[in-house]
Amino acid sequence: MESVRRITQVLEVKEAGAVVPIDLVLPSEAKECFGLQAIVTGLFPGVESVIDFGEFSISFNGSDAHPVHQLVPYESAEARQVSTTRIGLLPLSIALISGSPVTGFYRDLGRQQEPFTPYQVRVSFNLITE
């Protein structure tokens, strides 16, 4: 019986311009990735709306499929409260090879004002599993 599962990896960004690797193996029962979301989390009082904090790139099945290379948004708490959509959610349809790696990176674009505030990026994979 198929089911839906969400797997999340949290990346730590500790300095401006940092490149943080993404390297994980999805559960062996995962058959397909049907959605992907990357979003900046943290509190940035001077930022009022959705801006692109960085970029990310993801490859599946040992780099055989490279469907994503795009900007990663930050949404302030105020904007999130009135929003009816989930920012950064990408629909995909990637058949997964059991046990193959998911690799890539996140790169900070230096959009913060000084001093730099460390933050996290949450990368979530929506999966169909057996």
Side-chain angles (χ1 to χ4, degrees), residues 14 66 90 110:
K14 298 180 180 176
H66 182 244
L90 302 171

Side-chain angles (χ1 to χ4, degrees), residues 58-95:
I58 297 280
S59 294
F60 292 89
N61 299 328
S63 298
D64 284 347
H66 182 244
V68 177
H69 186 115
Q70 78 169 49
L71 297 172
V72 178
Y74 165 74
E75 185 177 33
S76 68
E78 295 82 17
R80 192 169 33 256
Q81 288 176 352
V82 298
S83 177
T84 58
T85 61
R86 292 172 61 190
I87 65 169
L89 183 60
L90 302 171
L92 295 176
S93 181
I94 303 294

Side-chain angles (χ1 to χ4, degrees), residues 76-120:
S76 68
E78 295 82 17
R80 192 169 33 256
Q81 288 176 352
V82 298
S83 177
T84 58
T85 61
R86 292 172 61 190
I87 65 169
L89 183 60
L90 302 171
L92 295 176
S93 181
I94 303 294
L96 299 173
I97 299 170
S98 180
S100 65
V102 174
T103 57
F105 66 88
Y106 170 83
R107 183 173 67 96
D108 177 78
L109 295 177
R111 302 281 167 92
Q112 286 190 58
Q113 295 178 356
E114 293 295 328
F116 180 84
T117 301
Y119 64 94
Q120 296 180 331

Side-chain angles (χ1 to χ4, degrees), residues 4 8 15 33 42-43 51 53 61 68 81-82 85-86 93 121:
V4 174
T8 299
E15 61 187 40
C33 181
L43 297 175
I51 65 166
F53 252 50
N61 299 328
V68 177
Q81 288 176 352
V82 298
T85 61
R86 292 172 61 190
S93 181
V121 177

Side-chain angles (χ1 to χ4, degrees), residues 4-82:
V4 174
R5 185 170 173 190
R6 186 175 179 106
I7 301 292
T8 299
Q9 182 178 31
V10 177
L11 309 174
E12 302 285 338
V13 182
K14 298 180 180 176
E15 61 187 40
V19 176
V20 181
I22 298 169
D23 188 15
L24 72 147
V25 176
L26 296 173
S28 59
E29 65 273 9
K31 294 173 32 179
E32 179 182 342
C33 181
F34 70 90
L36 180 63
Q37 182 181 34
I39 190 164
V40 170
T41 60
L43 297 175
F44 306 97
V47 179
E48 296 178 11
S49 62
V50 177
I51 65 166
D52 296 318
F53 252 50
E55 66 176 335
F56 80 118
S57 182
I58 297 280
S59 294
F60 292 89
N61 299 328
S63 298
D64 284 347
H66 182 244
V68 177
H69 186 115
Q70 78 169 49
L71 297 172
V72 178
Y74 165 74
E75 185 177 33
S76 68
E78 295 82 17
R80 192 169 33 256
Q81 288 176 352
V82 298

